Amino acid sequence: LNVCGNLTISSFTYNSGNINVMEGATLNLGGGGTMTMNGGGIITNRGNLIINKAVVMQGGTANIISNALGATFTMPGSRTLTINNA
């Protein structure tokens, strides 16, 4: 998924794959609950990434959230990031 503008997703399930937030773009993942990355998930942020839910990274292969210089990554409120990769 390549995000080139402003995109808000209120209900989102993400197991694996690539999400690219391009420079000047905003991706807002909301809806509460938990987003589980089950291995092989890559989020590359060159713009603005807002995750308004808890995130769990698990599975046998790496999950990556990469934030480029000048990009913003926000998890508002009391959201948690749990890493269970083994």
Side-chain angles (χ1 to χ4, degrees):
L1 172 66
N2 291 317
V3 179
C4 298
N6 295 325
L7 178 61
T8 298
I9 301 175
S10 59
S11 178
F12 186 70
T13 301
Y14 178 62
N15 289 312
S16 64
N18 296 333
I19 298 174
N20 300 301
V21 182
M22 307 310 286
E23 187 174 345
T26 298
L27 175 59
N28 187 340
L29 301 173
T34 301
M35 179 176 77
T36 302
M37 299 171 72
N38 284 320
I42 299 173
I43 299 175
T44 303
N45 179 30
R46 294 180 182 90
N48 300 299
L49 175 61
I50 303 164
I51 301 178
N52 197 16
K53 54 176 58 206
V55 176
V56 175
M57 296 176 156
Q58 64 186 18
T61 58
N63 292 292
I64 301 169
I65 297 178
S66 172
N67 203 54
L69 183 64
T72 58
F73 172 53
T74 307
M75 290 180 75
S78 59
R79 305 299 180 203
T80 59
L81 174 61
T82 305
I83 301 172
N84 292 326
N85 286 0

